Amino acid sequence: MRYAVQRLIQAIPVFVITTFLIYTMVFALPGDPILALAGDKPVPEQVLNVMREHYHLNDPLLVQYGYYMLGVFQGNLGETFTGQSVSELLGDRWAVTAQLAVTAWIFELVVGIGLGIVAGLRRGGIADTAVLAGTTFIIAVPVFVFGYTAQILLGLNLGLFPTAGTDEGWPGSYLLPGMVLGSFGLAYVARLTRTSLVENLRADYVRTATAKGLRRHRIVGLHALRNSLIPVVTYLGIDFGNLMAGAVVTEGIFNLPGIGQQVFQSIQLQEGPVVVGVVTLLVMIFIVANLVVDLLYGVLDPRIRRA
């Protein structure tokens, strides 16, 4: 419990500093978002002043950030310059991106660790060579090429998966885009698992367990694999936030109405509150993921918890 509380306290300044930097980068940019909202149409100066006062645009940047954080701690991500709640705007879209990220993450976890174990246990064999060659190929191919190719071959030609939209719900509509999004993380998970497992199988404690007569599956499963998963858990925890943030291209290929599309549109319309709101949620996800990773460290290796 003390270990978890310490990690949670350490996350608070990270959250404040990160959100402040993001807020500054978005709202310190030159230009007036109220004038941008009006476009080419003339707007009375009185209306402009009322709008700027309502959104605290006349206040110093630090004061603006203070108002924003006060709303965040109350569960309010602010509102757009058209008066729409950011939380409501992101509600349905957030669910789409979350389901896509979860599908991709599960794909990375199950297939990536499985391939890494197979390659690690058969180091130098055909399976090991195939995994290393396959993951190298996946990393080398750009995501939009891989996505469109998978969409044409597996979706249109073979008809194995839906090609676009969310009509079939989860998991049907998310399987193919989830595999595309998670394939790059899968390559790193497989390689990391394989390398870590090979190193641990050479360790002295494995030789000692073998000399004591323990069965091979017990040595690998209980000792070597458990220690090998520590760096893999680190990557998987951080990568979940990356999947949420990096789904823009995949959502575009498969026409998924997630937050990636919304952020792209908001940047074009200079809707700073939407961009900051999305990034704030992503920062929260990164922090929670890192906290879960730290707690899993204590489960996988009790020495970390005691330290």
Side-chain angles (χ1 to χ4, degrees):
M1 184 63 181
R2 181 181 177 184
Y3 179 77
V5 172
Q6 288 176 344
R7 290 294 181 266
L8 185 61
I9 293 175
Q10 292 173 1
I12 295 176
V14 174
F15 175 73
V16 173
I17 294 173
T18 305
T19 52
F20 176 73
L21 291 176
I22 294 167
Y23 191 94
T24 301
M25 287 187 289
V26 172
F27 285 98
L29 295 174
D32 191 331
I34 305 300
L35 288 176
L37 181 66
D40 297 332
K41 298 179 180 179
V43 182
E45 189 66 27
Q46 184 178 2
V47 175
L48 292 176
N49 291 333
V50 171
M51 292 286 290
R52 289 166 182 157
E53 186 68 25
H54 176 73
Y55 291 102
H56 309 289
L57 297 178
N58 293 327
D59 296 325
L61 189 63
L62 190 61
V63 176
Q64 295 181 40
Y65 174 74
Y67 281 116
Y68 174 72
M69 289 304 296
L70 183 62
V72 169
F73 288 124
Q74 295 174 350
N76 179 19
L77 294 175
E79 62 181 31
T80 67
F81 294 124
T82 57
Q84 186 177 4
S85 170
V86 174
S87 300
E88 295 178 359
L89 182 65
L90 299 178
D92 295 336
R93 291 179 175 269
W94 189 261
V96 172
T97 301
Q99 291 177 89
L100 175 61
V102 168
T103 305
W105 192 81
I106 293 175
F107 181 63
E108 287 184 14
L109 174 67
V110 176
V111 181
I113 293 180
L115 290 177
I117 293 174
V118 171
L121 293 178
R122 292 167 173 79
R123 182 172 62 91
I126 297 177
D128 186 21
T129 304
V131 170
L132 293 178
T135 53
T136 301
F137 174 77
I138 291 175
I139 295 172
V141 178
V143 62
F144 62 89
V145 174
F146 192 73
Y148 281 120
T149 302
Q151 187 181 47
I152 294 172
L153 293 180
L154 301 179
L156 294 177
N157 294 347
L158 298 179
L160 299 178
F161 304 97
T163 57
T166 59
D167 293 339
E168 294 192 12
W170 191 88
S173 297
Y174 296 89
L175 287 176
L176 186 57
M179 287 189 290
V180 171
L181 180 61
S183 59
F184 299 91
L186 176 149
Y188 290 109
V189 169
R191 283 172 166 265
L192 191 58
T193 303
R194 182 255 183 202
T195 302
S196 183
L197 182 59
V198 168
E199 291 179 355
N200 280 285
L201 288 175
R202 295 172 176 173
D204 292 337
Y205 69 88
V206 171
R207 296 192 185 96
T208 302
T210 304
K212 289 182 177 180
L214 293 180
R215 295 182 178 180
R216 179 68 172 174
H217 68 85
R218 182 174 177 83
I219 295 173
V220 174
L222 185 61
H223 299 287
L225 184 59
R226 182 176 179 178
N227 289 331
S228 301
L229 287 179
I230 293 178
V232 178
V233 166
T234 303
Y235 178 82
L236 286 171
I238 296 175
D239 194 51
F240 185 76
N242 291 331
L243 293 174
M244 293 286 293
V248 178
V249 176
T250 307
E251 289 178 0
I253 294 173
F254 293 94
N255 194 27
L256 300 177
I259 61 172
Q261 289 184 353
Q262 183 61 56
V263 170
F264 183 75
Q265 296 171 2
S266 299
I267 292 175
Q268 290 181 316
L269 298 174
Q270 297 187 26
E271 283 284 5
V274 178
V275 178
V276 174
V278 170
V279 177
T280 298
L281 289 176
L282 291 176
V283 170
M284 291 180 182
I285 291 174
F286 272 107
I287 290 176
V288 171
N290 284 327
L291 178 61
V292 172
V293 168
D294 288 339
L295 296 179
L296 287 176
Y297 279 171
V299 175
L300 294 173
D301 190 347
R303 294 174 301 176
I304 299 176
R305 183 174 63 248
R306 289 194 294 270

